[in-house]
Amino acid sequence: GAAAAEVFESGATGYAYNDIILLPGHVYFAADDVRLDSRVSRSIPLKTPLVSSPMDTVTESAMAIHMALQGGLGFVHYNNTVREQKKEVDRVKRYESGFITDPKTLAPHHTIADARDIKARYGFQGIPVTEDGRMGSRLLGIVSNRDIEFIRDPQVRLGDVMTRELVTAREGVTLEEAYAIVKESKKGKLPIVNGRGELVGLVARTDILKSRDFPNSTKDKVGKRLLCGAAIGTRPEDRDRLDALVEVGVDAIVLDSSQGDSTYQLDMLRYIKNRHAHLDVICGNVVTRSQAYHLIRAGADGLRIGMGCGSICTTQEVMACGRPQATAVYMVSQLAREHGVPTIADGGVSSIGHIIKGLSCGASCVMMGSMLAGTDEAPGEYFYKDGVRLKKYRGMGSMEAMKQGSAVRYFSEDDRVRVAQGVSGAVIDKGSLRRYLPYLIQGVKHGFQDLGVLSLQELHQRLYEGRLRFQVRTPAGQMEGSVHSLYTYERSAV
Ligand code: XMP
């Protein structure tokens, strides 16, 4: 095999993931021993080097929550109003808090229909009922699913059906004490009250179970809240969007542009760094060292790599610009590493092998669109076509998405005629991320095991020391390496 430098630095040829293959190393440990710890940006560590793309058919709150729970990160898209995007980020930030300090509450005069409405909208069960329906007023009871599930009439008042005998904890209780009471009482919710019996907080049983189920989750240091990213554009009005997202505690901002080396992006980056110094800003997209250098010099905390390699992208065909992804990831990541800036290999991933190749070419983590768009947690409803269960997936530069507002990613301010740089389509149902992400993570660990590397740090060390060996596959080599010579009689085998 050859070292990465020999393969990628020839200049004249660019390689896609499928063009290259890695030579195996020596296996002396179990796949479970592999550690995938990485960073998505300067100050955000991840246990899982996977992030979801800010696309309107990929990342809203449900996706971002589950990516973060399993050690990755989600970037909420901005093909929506400022209010809508803020609400999605807010949902992620509120998702797993030890103490819920602003629970939804109702009053005794509210009805079963009101309680069901809260459950449908927020998924909460067990709603505290207070004297005037607000936090800080006297706690009278709790209405849970068991109180109302067999009652047909939605107009029955909660005061008539709620549970009045409550187990509560006094203000000042520690989280550990509260958890112990919850376990002991076997109740779903533990209201926290002050000396006057007024509701000041709530602890949820599901939060305890969640932190047990997801030991790798991506959380902040203090409040145990999940981390959440979001994308914005580089127009003047995006400054208001930024402020709204900061208000609800967004942790990282992606400046979303198909060609990131622009005055617009540099100006926006400097503006954010001046205004919100604590916030990590991920710039891009880039595919060359010089593009990357301009952004790194201006203070980028992370770089997103990829131009036209996405499954729904037509940028390379329409704009004649871009770069095959394996070469792009290697060239940019090598420079970024010298400056301590993590990189995201964005797009072009359609198998576990592509994730491993992206990381092997130097990326700190991998961003996916199509791989995640068919999961339960992606926005949109499933539908059937020819007996196959599908979900919609579309490029943010597709005519369809642009009509809804995403044109900012693909056009400068004075463009009058729009040329699409993406298409709309559908992807096959993949079920829930609860099962799908562990499958991807385990697959990546197996790949590392075959390479004989125990961690991402070791992988990158070998890469830059020339000890990770690559080969370029001929077309016959690629054919040989994929499924062939089979008579395919089942759709699932195609
Ligand atoms: P995958 O391959 O994971 O790619 O589906 C997702 C990435 O593709 C980019 N993207 C686009 N690129 N036209 C493009 O040229 C588009 O309409 C488009 N929409 C998304 C984006 O970087 C995303 O993360």
Side-chain angles (χ1 to χ4, degrees):
E6 296 169 67
V7 173
F8 296 116
E9 289 184 16
S10 76
T13 313
Y15 294 113
Y17 290 143
N18 281 342
D19 289 321
I20 55 160
I21 195 76
L22 289 140
L23 300 189
H26 173 65
V27 177
Y28 63 99
F29 50 82
D32 280 336
D33 295 337
V34 172
R35 290 285 153 265
L36 296 175
D37 299 56
S38 189
R39 276 180 188 277
V40 62
S41 56
R42 276 189 207 269
S43 57
I44 301 189
L46 302 177
K47 293 265 183 227
T48 302
L50 303 177
V51 300
S52 67
S53 177
M55 299 172 72
D56 62 3
T57 47
V58 180
T59 311
E60 286 180 350
S61 53
M63 175 67 64
I65 286 168
H66 285 273
M67 291 301 294
L69 281 177
Q70 302 206 44
L73 193 73
F75 290 93
V76 174
H77 74 89
Y78 67 116
N79 201 12
N80 46 17
T81 63
V82 173
R83 241 180 106 200
E84 285 163 346
Q85 191 186 20
K86 181 177 173 183
K87 200 164 122 201
E88 295 299 322
V89 172
D90 194 31
R91 279 204 185 130
V92 184
K93 297 304 297 179
R94 278 166 200 265
Y95 179 71
E96 193 181 26
S97 43
F99 288 107
I100 304 165
T101 50
D102 54 352
K104 297 280 163 221
T105 46
L106 290 170
H109 66 79
H110 281 118
T111 61
I112 289 182
D114 296 320
R116 287 189 178 139
D117 185 45
I118 288 190
K119 182 169 179 251
R121 263 203 263 167
Y122 302 98
F124 301 150
Q125 311 224 21
I127 302 159
V129 180
T130 63
E131 215 159 46
D132 68 5
R134 281 185 298 201
M135 267 284 282
S137 104
R138 209 158 64 81
L139 178 71
L140 301 177
I142 276 197
V143 61
S144 70
N145 214 21
R146 282 187 201 168
D147 296 318
I148 61 176
E149 63 189 335
F150 295 119
I151 302 178
R152 287 247 174 91
D153 180 0
Q155 293 314 318
V156 169
R157 286 156 30 100
L158 298 182
D160 298 332
V161 294
M162 67 189 182
T163 300
R164 291 173 185 273
E165 301 79 48
L166 301 176
V167 177
T168 60
R170 275 295 279 275
E171 193 173 21
V173 67
T174 67
L175 201 54
E176 277 67 38
E177 287 163 353
Y179 281 175
I181 301 171
V182 171
K183 274 185 209 158
E184 176 75 29
S185 70
K186 302 200 173 106
K187 302 273 184 200
K189 293 276 165 69
L190 176 70
I192 316 286
V193 292
N194 62 18
R196 294 182 295 280
E198 293 158 349
L199 181 72
V200 295
L202 196 70
V203 167
R205 185 178 189 80
T206 45
D207 280 350
I208 307 176
L209 297 174
K210 268 179 242 153
S211 53
R212 192 187 300 151
D213 285 349
F214 301 104
N216 290 334
S217 54
T218 310
K219 286 182 186 163
D220 56 22
K221 288 169 214 134
V222 263
K224 292 180 70 187
R225 295 202 298 173
L226 292 180
L227 299 196
C228 182
I232 63 170
T234 53
R235 298 187 169 204
E237 55 267 34
D238 284 297
R239 298 180 177 195
D240 295 335
R241 197 177 267 277
L242 170 75
D243 287 345
L245 297 172
V246 169
E247 226 173 84
V248 288
V250 73
D251 299 282
I253 289 289
V254 152
L255 292 183
D256 191 37
S257 166
S258 56
Q259 206 302 37
D261 183 14
S262 70
T263 317
Y264 311 112
Q265 187 154 143
L266 290 168
D267 287 349
M268 190 58 149
L269 170 61
R270 292 191 190 107
Y271 172 81
I272 302 177
K273 285 283 149 193
N274 277 331
R275 194 171 165 83
H276 305 289
H278 71 283
L279 203 59
D280 268 13
V281 185
I282 296 166
C283 294
N285 282 25
V286 294
V287 290
T288 71
R289 290 191 214 244
S290 82
Q291 283 179 301
Y293 183 66
H294 294 152
L295 294 166
I296 291 173
R297 206 178 42 185
D301 298 298
L303 287 174
R304 205 171 149 205
I305 306 168
M307 190 172 185
C309 63
S311 58
I312 31 53
C313 302
T314 54
T315 294
Q316 290 187 9
E317 279 171 40
V318 179
M319 302 296 146
C321 255
R323 196 172 207 177
Q325 185 69 343
T327 299
V329 172
Y330 175 76
M331 298 303 272
V332 173
S333 297
Q334 197 210 32
L335 176 88
R337 183 180 164 94
E338 286 165 19
H339 297 267
V341 176
T343 56
I344 304 173
D346 172 24
V349 168
S350 56
S351 65
I352 293 174
H354 290 162
I355 298 175
I356 299 167
K357 287 179 181 176
L359 298 172
S360 297
C361 289
S364 316
C365 60
V366 170
M367 179 176 274
M368 294 172 290
S370 69
M371 287 282 275
L372 303 172
T375 61
D376 294 355
E377 289 77 8
E381 299 302 320
Y382 287 109
F383 62 95
Y384 283 90
K385 180 95 181 120
D386 304 329
V388 184
R389 198 162 185 251
L390 304 167
K391 246 193 196 188
K392 192 174 193 61
Y393 178 51
R394 66 185 184 195
M396 297 306 287
S398 64
M399 275 303 171
E400 202 185 278
M402 285 196 294
K403 274 188 202 138
Q404 209 174 311
S406 73
V408 285
R409 179 179 156 96
Y410 293 89
F411 297 97
S412 49
E413 312 203 4
D414 41 6
D415 279 327
R416 297 223 167 77
V417 180
R418 292 172 180 175
V419 182
Q421 291 185 49
V423 296
S424 314
V427 287
I428 290 181
D429 169 21
K430 292 207 168 93
S432 170
L433 279 185
R434 283 174 186 271
R435 294 179 61 185
Y436 187 57
L437 267 185
Y439 159 76
L440 295 183
I441 294 166
Q442 195 60 16
V444 173
K445 287 184 173 181
H446 272 292
F448 275 45
Q449 186 192 31
D450 281 353
L451 291 170
V453 295
L454 264 166
S455 67
L456 195 59
Q457 288 67 32
E458 188 185 342
L459 183 76
H460 286 172
Q461 200 177 338
R462 287 198 187 191
L463 169 70
Y464 294 115
E465 287 173 359
R467 290 188 294 123
L468 194 62
R469 306 304 279 181
F470 292 82
Q471 271 193 334
V472 177
R473 296 195 293 187
T474 61
Q478 288 180 45
M479 219 156 42
E480 187 183 67
S482 54
V483 175
H484 59 84
S485 317
L486 276 184
Y487 174 68
T488 43
Y489 56 91
E490 273 186 4
R491 181 178 289 277
S492 62
V494 177

